[in-house]
């Protein structure tokens, strides 16, 4: 604890000179461009795939399986592959985001369009409409609201990811941050964090506005196109890429690697469990202190802002900072997952408390109980269900995130992957990628089965 | 069937609840939903409120329960003016008014005995209320059991509330009101979501308990035939005011078709 203060003070004051802020503009624009360009590609790929699934054309079942599989490769892993194959820079980041979010959005569109009500579509088909007409006049209008809402949500999440891919050489603000951390230039790191939090806050507001006026989502198409033109990989050396890709096969682990595999996996799981556990405890406290129906505004307002800062800094960025100041290892990884998760969960917990059904609370208050007692007897028990669901989803999410935290030095299976990449042991690297992939897919499936069994719906937040 | 105004002279001596010139405008309502309400209810008296939905039955009950403030007039319960009380004094008075709602009134994640003993919260300290959630004493559980016995649910003492049927949940709500031992018990459409057999059993239970324990019971219903069968007095809420026996006559054709 004695060493904490000098460490923290190294980050202050932030560099706020006009010339440095101007210098940060290109990376910020690059990050925004990465998100816009990759999402443009992702939507372009997803719409036809989603419509095919919605019309239940033959072959959609294997298609959905493929999409689910691609989605199970963590975005940072895709990014590291793209960086190896196509070189460091925004082009690799854009490609990685387009591949990952292409799968995510296509799966989402397919799921939405497959739940379109059948009778109107059958009536339309009975008039002799062709498939394309069915899609244009039946499927898309029926599900327009859902498509736009969830489209805006994924766009928001892609923006955060576009900062993160920079951490492995994908360009933008993330790459800038890695550079400053490597140079131990902590005051500039603080400036970059302030810029990051501001950008995310502005985009959050924009996303809220877009959800209310979804038509304007279409205005992002020309922006996306422009970004695509600016950041598309310039020198695609396909021969080289194919050659390097060939070197990754067949994947292989040495005997020593096999022996170390279980401890590494445990380290990854521990990171997720410890991070989520700590976050749940912190969020229980801060969620209650920020819920509008429980806490006074003078307390809730500043704490809400603090939680916003915690969650607008992505896990990987927290990880980069903590590793730079506290050293590599799973503790830093768990703390990074915990800080971001605490911010996310505090908001979800607060919402659960605010949305607890009113009638039973009024009934308890009607017996003459005091405010504290009404909270303990009605508000909290009524919110526990949603709180448990949110915590479970967060654990699932963190298990996935823990596999990539190693890529920035937080230990576990991701660390092994990163070390292999640094030493150009590509066959080992591919083996770790495949292992990670299978594990994430397993967690995904287990969580989906659990969700279906208890009829829980994922709530985007 | 006695006109509310004509009843006033007789009731003034032993009236438990007295309303005079009451006007209520719930939040967001431009003009009063209820006006010129005058009513006297004695201890042990069972009063039914009937009338089409949207006429103000629920608003009147929620005003009496202290959930909505009146904009004019007085509510006197047991010699205290409900309309003038704030904070702790209001809470104390509310603990003497029990409320049974149509449904969604119990805290479903809690156990049955916890929902029942919620009726005691008005007289318990905060510490005791928190302690009960983790460690109920056997004396407290015995009280919960005896309240549940009165509604025929003693065997469900430790059951999760969510696992109970609609009729059983309604009886738990009544048991909670019994633990509260209120002077006035309000019931808002307590049988609206129940089948006819269960509905009769619940009304029978409510009215007999009110008589036996000397509580005043005010109950809103939309089945006039049930109102005339179980209650001492039936009043109709029509266009924001209380009227007398007309409701019962208007109800006659309904009874034939029901």
């Amino acid at each position: 604890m004695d060493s904490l203060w000098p460490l923290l003070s190294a980050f202050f004051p932030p560099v706020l000179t006009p010339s440095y802020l101007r210098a940060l503009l290109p990376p910020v624009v690059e990050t925004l461009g990465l998100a816009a360009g990759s999402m443009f590609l992702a939507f372009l790929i997803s719409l036809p795939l989603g419509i095919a699934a919605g019309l239940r054309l033959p072959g959609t079942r294997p298609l959905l399986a493929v999409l689910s599989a691609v989605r199970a490769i963590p975005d940072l892993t895709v990014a590291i592959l793209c960086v190896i194959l196509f070189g460091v820079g925004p082009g690799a980041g854009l490609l990685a985001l387009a591949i990952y979010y292409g799968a995510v959005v296509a799966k989402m569109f397919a799921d939405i369009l497959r739940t379109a009500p059948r009778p109107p579509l059958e009536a339309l088909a009975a008039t002799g409409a062709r498939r394309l007409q069915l899609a244009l006049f039946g499927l898309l209008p029926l599900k327009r609201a859902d498509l736009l809402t969830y489209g805006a949500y994924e766009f928001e999440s892609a923006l955060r990811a576009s900062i993160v891919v920079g951490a492995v050489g994908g360009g933008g603000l993330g790459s800038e941050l890695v550079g400053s951390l490597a140079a131990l230039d902590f005051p500039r790191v603080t400036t970059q964090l302030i810029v990051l939090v501001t950008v995310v806050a502005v985009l959050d507001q924009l996303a809220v506005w877009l959800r209310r006026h979804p038509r304007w989502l279409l205005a992002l198409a020309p922006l996306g196109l422009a970004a695509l033109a600016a950041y598309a990989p310039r020198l695609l050396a396909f021969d080289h890429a194919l050659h390097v890709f060939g070197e990754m096969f067949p994947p292989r682990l040495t005997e020593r690697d096999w022996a170390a595999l279980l401890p590494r996996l445990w380290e990854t799981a521990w990171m997720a469990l410890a991070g989520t556990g700590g976050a749940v405890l912190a969020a229980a406290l801060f969620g209650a202190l920020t819920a509008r129906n429980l806490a006074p505004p003078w307390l809730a307002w500043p704490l809400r802002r603090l939680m916003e800062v915690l969650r607008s800094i992505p896990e990987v960025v927290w990880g980069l900072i903590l590793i730079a100041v506290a050293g590599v290892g799973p503790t830093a990884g768990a703390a990074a997952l915990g800080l971001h998760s605490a911010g996310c969960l505090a908001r979800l917990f607060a919402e659960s408390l605010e949305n607890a059904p009113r009638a039973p609370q009024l009934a308890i208050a009607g017996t003459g109980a005091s405010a504290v007692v009404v909270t303990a007897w009605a508000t909290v028990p009524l919110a526990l269900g949603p709180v448990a669901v949110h915590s479970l989803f967060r654990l699932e999410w963190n298990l996935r995130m823990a596999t990539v935290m190693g890529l920035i030095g937080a230990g576990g299976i991701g660390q092994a992957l990163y070390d292999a990449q640094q030493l150009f042991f590509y066959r080992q690297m591919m083996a770790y990628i495949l292992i990670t992939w299978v594990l994430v897919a397993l967690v995904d499936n287990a969580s989906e089965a659990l969700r279906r069994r208890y009829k829980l719906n994922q709530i985007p937040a | 069937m006695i006109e509310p105004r004509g009843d006033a002279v007789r009731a003034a001596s032993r009236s438990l609840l007295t309303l005079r010139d009451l006007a209520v405008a719930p939040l967001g309502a431009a003009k009063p939903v209820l006006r010129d309400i005058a009513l006297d209810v004695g201890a042990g008296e069972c009063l039914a409120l009937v009338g089409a939905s949207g006429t103000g039955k629920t608003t009147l009950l929620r005003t009496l329960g202290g959930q909505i403030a009146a904009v004019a007039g007085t509510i006197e319960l047991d010699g205290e003016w409900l309309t003038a009380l704030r904070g702790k004094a209001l809470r104390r008075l509310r603990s003497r008014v029990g409320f049974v709602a149509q449904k969604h009134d119990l805290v479903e994640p809690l156990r049955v005995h916890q929902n029942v003993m919620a009726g005691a919260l008005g007289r318990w300290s905060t510490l005791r209320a928190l302690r009960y959630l983790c460690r109920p004493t056997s004396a407290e559980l015995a009280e919960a059991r005896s309240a549940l016995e009165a509604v025929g649910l003693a065997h469900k003492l430790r059951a999760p509330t969510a696992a109970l049927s609609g009729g059983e949940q309604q009886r738990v709500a009544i048991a909670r009101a019994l633990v509260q031992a209120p002077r006035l018990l309000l019931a808002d459409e307590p049988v609206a979501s129940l089948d006819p057999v269960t509905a009769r059993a619940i009304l029978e239970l409510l009215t007999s308990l009110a008589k036996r324990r000397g509580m005043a019971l005010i109950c809103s219903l939309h089945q006039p035939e049930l109102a005339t069968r179980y209650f001492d007095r039936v009043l109709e809420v029509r266009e924001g005011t209380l009227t007398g026996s007309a409701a019962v006559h208007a109800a006659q054709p309904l009874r034939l078709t029901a």
Side-chain angles (χ1 to χ4, degrees), chain A residues 57-259:
Chain A
L57 300 182
T60 44
R61 222 168 248 287
L63 174 75
L64 284 175
V66 170
L67 291 177
S68 289
V70 173
R71 213 172 46 141
I73 313 176
D75 48 1
L76 214 54
T77 311
V78 181
I80 224 170
L81 264 177
C82 286
V83 167
I84 295 172
L85 295 176
F86 303 110
V88 171
L94 190 128
L95 215 58
L97 287 172
I99 293 171
Y100 179 73
Y101 278 96
V104 169
V105 177
K107 176 76 169 43
M108 182 191 71
F109 278 4
D111 285 345
I112 289 175
L113 291 173
R114 274 189 334 157
T115 60
R118 303 316 285 176
L121 289 179
E122 276 154 19
L124 203 60
T127 67
R130 291 164 182 282
R131 275 171 184 164
L132 188 66
Q133 289 168 324
L134 266 182
L136 289 180
F137 296 102
L139 218 44
L140 294 181
L142 278 169
K143 281 290 176 180
R144 202 187 62 146
D146 278 356
L147 290 176
L148 290 174
T149 309
Y150 285 91
Y153 167 69
E154 288 301 345
F155 188 80
E156 210 179 318
S157 124
L159 273 164
R160 286 166 214 268
S162 69
I163 297 163
V164 167
V165 292
V168 292
L173 198 55
S175 290
E176 202 69 20
L177 197 72
V178 172
S180 299
L181 282 168
L184 303 179
D185 189 351
F186 296 135
R188 281 197 163 71
V189 169
T190 309
T191 315
Q192 287 155 4
L193 286 182
I194 293 171
V195 169
L196 192 160
V197 169
T198 314
V199 168
V200 170
V202 169
L203 292 172
D204 267 353
Q205 290 304 309
L206 184 72
V208 169
W209 185 84
L210 273 178
R211 274 186 220 182
R212 223 171 291 148
H213 310 271
R215 226 171 268 272
W216 283 92
L217 213 56
L218 294 177
L220 294 176
L223 275 177
L225 211 56
L228 212 55
Y231 301 118
R234 291 265 173 274
L235 301 160
L236 272 189
F238 275 111
D239 286 350
H240 170 76
L242 267 181
H243 175 72
V244 175
F245 198 59
E247 277 179 25
M248 297 178 191
F249 289 90
R252 201 181 62 88
L253 287 185
T254 63
E255 247 169 66
R256 225 212 250 146
D257 293 332
W258 280 114

Side-chain angles (χ1 to χ4, degrees), chain A residues 359-373 376-379 381-383, chain B residues 91 94-95 97 104-107 109-110 114 118-119 121-122 126 129-130 132-133 176 180:
Chain A
Q361 298 183 63
L362 285 175
I364 297 290
T367 65
S370 66
V372 176
V373 173
W377 276 67
T379 319
L382 288 165
Chain B
R91 278 220 307 276
R94 282 173 99 182
S95 74
V97 181
H104 306 310
D105 180 36
L106 299 176
V107 183
L110 294 182
Q114 291 169 322
L121 292 175
T126 299
L130 296 181
Y132 182 86
L133 281 181
R176 177 174 70 191
Q180 195 179 336

Side-chain angles (χ1 to χ4, degrees), chain B residues 6-74:
Chain B
D7 192 34
V9 181
R10 184 184 61 94
S13 53
R14 51 173 201 84
S15 168
L16 178 75
L17 175 75
T18 311
L19 310 184
R20 289 291 176 269
D21 306 323
L22 191 71
V24 186
L27 218 62
K31 51 181 190 181
V33 169
L34 297 170
R35 54 188 195 286
D36 304 330
I37 303 284
L39 179 64
D40 293 275
V41 188
E45 188 178 2
C46 297
L47 173 75
L49 297 175
V50 296
S53 47
T55 49
K57 299 191 300 274
T58 300
T59 306
L60 180 55
L61 288 174
R62 289 180 59 197
T63 310
L64 295 178
Q67 295 174 19
I68 307 178
V71 290
T74 56

Side-chain angles (χ1 to χ4, degrees), chain A residues 22-59:
Chain A
R22 253 200 313 280
L24 275 184
L25 197 61
V28 168
V29 171
E30 195 167 273
T31 292
L32 295 178
L34 285 185
S38 60
M39 279 315 263
F40 179 73
L41 270 185
F43 281 123
L44 219 59
I45 306 166
S46 305
L47 215 49
L49 291 182
I51 288 173
L55 292 174
R56 304 187 184 182
L57 300 182

Side-chain angles (χ1 to χ4, degrees), chain B residues 1-243:
Chain B
M1 303 309 137
I2 310 154
E3 290 290 325
R5 277 289 188 181
D7 192 34
V9 181
R10 184 184 61 94
S13 53
R14 51 173 201 84
S15 168
L16 178 75
L17 175 75
T18 311
L19 310 184
R20 289 291 176 269
D21 306 323
L22 191 71
V24 186
L27 218 62
K31 51 181 190 181
V33 169
L34 297 170
R35 54 188 195 286
D36 304 330
I37 303 284
L39 179 64
D40 293 275
V41 188
E45 188 178 2
C46 297
L47 173 75
L49 297 175
V50 296
S53 47
T55 49
K57 299 191 300 274
T58 300
T59 306
L60 180 55
L61 288 174
R62 289 180 59 197
T63 310
L64 295 178
Q67 295 174 19
I68 307 178
V71 290
T74 56
I75 305 171
E76 199 183 325
L77 178 67
D78 240 357
E80 283 193 81
W81 283 32
L82 186 64
T83 26
L85 293 177
R86 290 282 173 277
K88 214 168 201 156
L90 176 63
R91 278 220 307 276
R92 195 165 43 81
L93 195 70
R94 282 173 99 182
S95 74
R96 283 189 259 153
V97 181
F99 202 98
V100 177
Q102 179 179 342
K103 53 177 176 177
H104 306 310
D105 180 36
L106 299 176
V107 183
E108 285 206 356
L110 294 182
R111 306 250 153 203
V112 167
H113 70 87
Q114 291 169 322
N115 266 306
V116 171
M117 289 315 285
L121 292 175
R123 56 176 189 268
W124 282 0
S125 70
T126 299
L127 273 181
R128 184 169 178 195
L130 296 181
R131 195 256 305 144
Y132 182 86
L133 281 181
C134 343
R135 251 171 208 282
T137 66
S138 49
E140 286 160 348
L141 282 176
E143 191 183 349
R145 187 189 298 278
S146 80
L148 281 169
E149 260 161 21
V151 298
L153 276 180
H155 58 293
K156 297 282 188 184
L157 186 70
R158 286 173 190 277
T161 307
L164 266 51
S165 71
E168 286 171 335
Q169 292 204 357
Q170 203 55 288
R171 284 192 276 166
V172 172
I174 295 170
R176 177 174 70 191
L178 290 180
V179 168
Q180 195 179 336
R183 305 283 290 131
L184 170 65
L185 181 57
L186 306 169
D188 185 17
E189 301 273 4
V191 297
S193 51
L194 302 178
D195 64 88
V197 178
T198 319
R200 285 195 191 94
I202 293 282
L203 288 180
E204 178 77 54
L205 181 65
L206 272 173
T207 48
S208 65
L209 284 170
K211 293 271 173 243
R212 211 179 318 144
R213 306 203 176 196
M215 298 184 288
L217 172 66
I218 304 180
C219 176
S220 69
L221 287 173
H222 64 240
Q223 304 100 317
E225 73 279 9
L226 289 178
T228 47
R229 181 160 165 195
Y230 290 103
F231 290 81
D232 302 331
R233 221 171 9 138
V234 181
L235 294 177
E236 184 180 11
V237 183
R238 185 189 279 173
E239 289 165 4
T241 54
L242 277 180
T243 58

